[in-house]
Amino acid sequence: MSTPPARTTDTTDTTKTTELTEKRMSVTGQGATVWLTGLPSAGKTTIAYALAERLRAEGHRVEVLDGDEIREFLSAGLGFTREDRHTNVQRIGFVAELLASNGVKALVPVIAPFADSREAVAKRHAAAGTTYLEVHVATPVEVCSERDVKGLYAKQAAGEISGLTGVDDPYEAPGAPDLRIESHTQTVQESASALHALLTERGLA
């Protein structure tokens, strides 16, 4: 009676599986701040939440720092002067860097209209060795005013408010962002996919 051959384990396949698992764990555990700047009603928040949903499904820890919520809970009392806008952006940048340095993908759909304010946030991240990506949601003001999600453009046109970014208050568009999204030419999911592709390219997704 012959003895059946001993079963062997394919160590090559096991090693590959382990390496892929470790790589995935490394990617999902790496924090970063993704700042989506753009005009009011450009689509920043919608894109951020669509991306957040996809990243969470892949096992990433994600937080969306919504500009309106920050204004209510962290920057209550600040107005919309240049100085107050700068202070608001720096507060958000501080929280984002804190989250990112602890392995969270911090998605920040906040206008941040001034280049020097965004640069200060980028420098804070660089000094801490934390990944920072700047994304310009470059929706034209004409499209934003048609969307007018919060009714701001209508109120400005009626003279009820002033200081609306991109209309009667300046917006300094990024000159060389990590990614520029033209949300008016594609769907929300396509925009979120373009941003996901950037994260994948940078080893973050």
Side-chain angles (χ1 to χ4, degrees):
M1 183 172 174
S2 60
T3 303
R7 298 181 63 184
T8 59
T9 301
D10 191 332
T11 55
T12 302
D13 288 347
T14 301
T15 301
K16 287 182 179 179
T17 300
T18 301
E19 289 175 349
L20 287 172
T21 300
E22 289 177 347
K23 181 179 179 181
R24 172 54 57 188
M25 290 176 64
S26 173
V27 167
T28 57
Q30 186 174 351
T33 291
V34 182
W35 199 294
L36 294 89
T37 177
L39 297 175
S41 295
K44 304 179 297 297
T45 302
T46 303
I47 294 169
Y49 276 109
L51 177 63
E53 182 179 0
R54 178 171 177 178
L55 289 174
R56 288 192 184 106
E58 295 173 351
H60 299 266
R61 297 166 62 202
V62 184
E63 291 291 342
V64 178
L65 300 183
D66 182 273
D68 291 336
E69 293 178 352
I70 295 292
R71 278 277 180 182
E72 180 179 358
F73 297 108
L74 188 63
S75 293
L78 290 181
F80 291 91
T81 64
R82 183 172 185 128
E83 293 75 16
D84 281 358
R85 287 178 187 270
H86 179 79
T87 298
N88 182 52
V89 168
Q90 297 319 299
R91 289 179 181 178
I92 299 171
F94 172 80
V95 175
E97 196 284 319
L98 189 63
L99 289 169
S101 65
N102 283 279
V104 177
K105 302 290 192 306
L107 309 183
V108 188
V110 172
I111 296 171
F114 300 112
D116 59 350
S117 296
R118 298 193 302 266
E119 180 64 21
V121 173
K123 287 181 177 178
R124 172 186 291 278
H125 282 69
T130 306
T131 300
Y132 176 85
L133 299 176
E134 184 177 73
V135 177
H136 181 204
V137 183
T139 310
V141 66
E142 296 80 12
V143 176
C144 294
S145 64
E146 289 176 6
R147 293 177 178 174
D148 204 9
V149 177
K150 301 171 186 174
L152 297 176
Y153 292 91
K155 289 181 180 179
Q156 191 278 335
E160 297 175 17
I161 63 171
S162 61
L164 181 59
T165 301
V167 180
D168 58 353
D169 214 50
Y171 175 72
E172 298 171 1
D178 294 282
L179 177 66
R180 201 180 305 277
I181 295 175
E182 297 184 355
S183 71
H184 56 295
T185 66
Q186 57 192 27
T187 66
V188 171
Q189 290 304 323
E190 287 171 340
S191 295
S193 292
L195 187 42
H196 189 277
L198 172 66
L199 294 178
T200 301
E201 176 188 310
R202 302 296 174 87
L204 296 166

